[in-house]
Amino acid sequence: MSRPQRLIGFLRNSLQQLTFNLCHIYARSTRSVSLPAPVYYAHLVCSRANHRYDPKGNFSLDAPAPRSLRRDEAERRLQEFIKAFMPLHPNTQS
């Protein structure tokens, strides 16, 4: 069973309007931008994380999901993850 064409057209138009609106809310620009604002913000977050995360850390994201771990094992893995980040500069700590 397929969706009615009218509904698909409505969803497509709504998605296009949402995307268009998101191109006008990027706070670092006074004009519209070519990509939706969440894309730019995600890029900023990744750029900042690149300066703080130590890629040589031994933390692996391939390990089992946290729900399948015991509480003490999950806590140990969380602490390993936290140690992989470099400390904040003293001027930026609150």
Side-chain angles (χ1 to χ4, degrees):
M1 188 182 280
S2 65
R3 292 182 183 228
Q5 187 64 30
R6 186 174 178 189
L7 178 60
I8 292 173
F10 174 75
L11 294 174
R12 189 177 302 140
N13 291 339
S14 296
L15 182 60
Q16 184 177 6
Q17 185 64 42
L18 173 65
T19 304
F20 176 79
N21 291 340
L22 287 173
C23 289
H24 290 82
I25 63 167
Y26 185 56
R28 291 181 161 212
S29 177
T30 57
R31 308 182 85 196
S32 65
V33 292
S34 60
L35 295 171
V39 174
Y40 284 105
Y41 291 126
H43 180 72
L44 285 172
V45 168
C46 291
S47 296
R48 290 179 182 179
N50 189 28
H51 295 292
R52 292 206 51 228
Y53 184 71
D54 180 15
K56 295 175 185 146
N58 294 329
F59 184 75
S60 173
L61 295 175
D62 297 331
R67 290 182 184 168
S68 63
L69 297 176
R70 293 189 331 255
R71 185 173 182 86
D72 58 336
E73 178 65 17
E75 182 65 30
R76 185 188 64 76
R77 286 191 58 220
L78 175 62
Q79 293 307 318
E80 285 179 12
F81 181 73
I82 291 171
K83 286 179 185 177
F85 282 86
M86 296 176 220
L88 289 174
H89 189 276
N91 293 344
T92 61
Q93 294 178 350
S94 54

